[in-house]
């Protein structure tokens, strides 16, 4: 059994609360990894803001994890006036 299979096996043994704690930890771990990758892109001038200086329309594709809460957002199939602003915005209103 390889290490991934061992981890998967152990995950099945976790309680609901332990899975929630694991999920929180992994989200932070994964986010840190993304931050390090972004820092490397910037450091190596692979992402230097040239698209932001362009005098024409530029398409930028930002990939986020499916569970990330990126606000404001328009849910798939919804109209622009059905935008979701997130928890922070709701508390301010």
């Amino acid at each position: 059994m390889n290490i991934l299979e061992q981890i998967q096996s152990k995950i099945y043994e976790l309680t609901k609360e332990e899975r929630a704690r694991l999920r929180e930890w992994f989200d932070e771990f994964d986010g840190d990894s993304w931050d390090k990758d972004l820092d490397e892109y910037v450091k190596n001038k692979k992402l230097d803001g040239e698209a932001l200086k362009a005098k024409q329309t530029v398409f930028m594709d930002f990939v986020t994890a499916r569970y990330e809460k990126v606000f404001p957002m328009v849910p798939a199939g919804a109209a622009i006036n059905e935008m979701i602003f997130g928890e922070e915005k709701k508390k301010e209103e």
Side-chain angles (χ1 to χ4, degrees):
M1 185 180 291
N2 67 35
I3 192 162
L4 180 58
E5 291 169 333
Q6 291 174 11
I7 293 169
Q8 290 171 334
S9 174
K10 292 295 182 185
I11 288 173
Y12 284 112
E13 298 173 13
L14 297 176
T15 65
K16 184 177 180 179
E17 292 79 18
E18 291 169 330
R19 286 193 314 271
R21 287 181 30 219
L22 174 64
R23 192 175 307 111
E24 288 174 16
W25 172 84
F26 192 81
D27 285 348
E28 186 173 327
F29 172 81
D30 204 33
D32 289 345
S33 176
W34 277 90
D35 289 345
K36 288 176 187 172
D37 289 347
L38 180 59
D39 290 343
E40 280 298 311
Y41 278 121
V42 172
K43 179 180 172 186
N44 295 321
K45 298 188 186 272
K46 291 180 181 176
L47 182 66
D48 61 2
E50 289 302 314
L52 299 176
K53 299 175 190 172
K55 302 286 187 214
Q56 60 191 23
T57 302
V58 175
F59 177 78
M60 298 177 78
D61 185 20
F62 296 92
V63 179
T64 61
R66 64 182 171 85
Y67 48 79
E68 291 295 336
K69 296 181 173 101
V70 181
F71 297 109
M73 66 174 265
V74 178
I80 191 70
N81 63 345
E82 297 176 273
M83 188 177 295
I84 298 172
F85 291 99
E87 296 301 316
E88 293 78 19
K89 185 70 175 180
K90 288 179 184 175
K91 290 176 185 174
E92 293 172 5
E93 293 177 350

